[in-house]
């Protein structure tokens, strides 16, 4: 029996060229068992990998912009109805949820997408992840938040407000623990230099 029978594999940028993405870079790999809606509203840079069972929704006026050197771990969900931007070298571990829209939980409005809009109180706002942001497994990011360059968010955290550059955060809601090292910027320089010389 073929040992790869359970491996769905990845679509490559060659497979994806004529799918209709707003823009598509090189060396893109998207697992064949992802759900992606709103393809014309999605821009993808170079060296991007999206793993199994991810769900991406960028329908209507929504949009998703992925920079280069991006990884989205399996079982993540990006609800980009009001926009999500991930800058270069940012990444999501497994099971991260990003919401650019969410229902009002106060009890003052009706909830869920089957209810006409005039009866709901949807909270919405673009979510931005700066360059070199890393978000740990199972974390949730709520609408209208910006995670600053180089910030890291520990597993199972809840991001409810903007996070400053180059800090480590953890908790529900996420709180600052300490400064994050910038040594990785030297590695970025080396990587870019090596790419340019090949």
């Amino acid at each position: 029996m073929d040992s790869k029978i359970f491996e769905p594999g990845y679509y490559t940028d060659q497979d994806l060229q004529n799918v209709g993405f707003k823009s598509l870079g090189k060396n893109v790999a998207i697992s064949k068992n992802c759900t992606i809606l709103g393809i014309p509203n999605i821009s993808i840079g170079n060296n991007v990998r999206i793993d199994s069972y991810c769900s991406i929704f960028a329908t209507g006026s929504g949009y998703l912009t992925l920079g280069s050197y991006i990884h989205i771990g399996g079982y993540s969900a990006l609800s980009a109805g009001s926009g999500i931007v991930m800058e270069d070298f940012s990444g999501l571990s497994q099971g991260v949820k990003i919401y650019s829209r969410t229902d009002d939980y106060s009890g003052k409005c009706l909830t869920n997408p089957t209810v006409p809009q005039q009866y709901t109180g949807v909270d919405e706002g673009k979510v931005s992840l700066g360059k070199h942001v890393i978000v740990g497994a199972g974390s949730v990011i709520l609408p209208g938040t910006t995670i600053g360059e180089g910030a890291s968010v520990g597993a199972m955290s809840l991001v409810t407000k903007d996070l400053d550059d180059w800090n480590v955060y953890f908790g529900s809601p996420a709180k600052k623990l300490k400064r994050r090292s910038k040594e990785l910027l030297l590695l970025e320089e080396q990587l870019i230099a090596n790419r340019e010389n090949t």
Side-chain angles (χ1 to χ4, degrees):
M1 179 180 257
D2 183 0
S3 64
K4 295 186 178 182
I5 191 170
F6 296 111
E7 294 180 21
Y10 288 85
Y11 293 114
T12 65
D13 42 293
Q14 291 81 20
D15 300 322
L16 300 168
Q17 281 179 356
N18 299 314
V19 171
F21 286 101
K22 185 173 183 181
S23 63
L24 182 70
K26 296 177 181 176
N27 194 29
V28 174
I30 299 176
S31 181
K32 292 181 178 180
N33 54 14
C34 290
T35 299
I36 301 177
L37 303 177
I39 286 175
N41 301 328
I42 298 173
S43 302
I44 301 176
N46 300 318
N47 305 301
V48 172
R49 191 177 98 193
I50 301 174
D51 288 342
S52 293
Y53 302 109
C54 287
S55 299
I56 297 173
F57 306 103
T59 56
S61 60
Y63 63 93
L64 173 65
T65 303
L66 301 178
S68 295
Y69 296 98
I70 301 277
H71 174 241
I72 298 175
Y75 294 94
S76 292
L78 284 70
S79 177
S82 293
I84 295 173
V85 175
M86 293 179 63
E87 294 186 26
D88 297 350
F89 295 99
S90 61
L92 308 178
S93 193
Q94 290 74 25
V96 171
K97 311 295 188 241
I98 301 178
Y99 299 98
S100 63
R101 290 183 178 171
T102 185
D103 280 318
D104 180 331
Y105 283 69
S106 70
K108 297 177 181 176
C109 304
L110 294 175
T111 63
N112 86 55
T114 67
V115 175
Q117 187 175 2
Q118 67 264 31
Y119 301 105
T120 66
V122 173
D123 179 28
E124 60 183 293
K126 179 178 91 170
V127 175
S128 298
L129 278 65
K131 199 172 179 183
H132 295 293
V133 165
I134 185 167
V135 181
S139 293
V140 175
I141 301 170
L142 295 182
T145 52
T146 297
I147 300 179
E149 178 178 311
S152 67
V153 178
M156 304 300 290
S157 293
L158 174 64
V159 178
T160 60
K161 62 182 182 180
D162 294 352
L163 303 182
D164 294 332
D165 297 354
W166 296 103
N167 286 304
V168 177
Y169 293 87
F170 173 74
S172 181
K175 292 185 177 13
K176 182 166 62 173
L177 299 180
K178 62 181 180 179
R179 293 291 290 167
R180 186 179 183 208
S181 172
K182 295 185 182 180
E183 289 180 35
L184 59 86
L185 295 176
L186 297 174
L187 298 173
E188 177 191 354
E189 286 179 19
Q190 292 173 15
L191 172 66
I192 300 303
N194 287 338
R195 289 275 173 150
E196 290 172 355
N197 293 331
T198 56

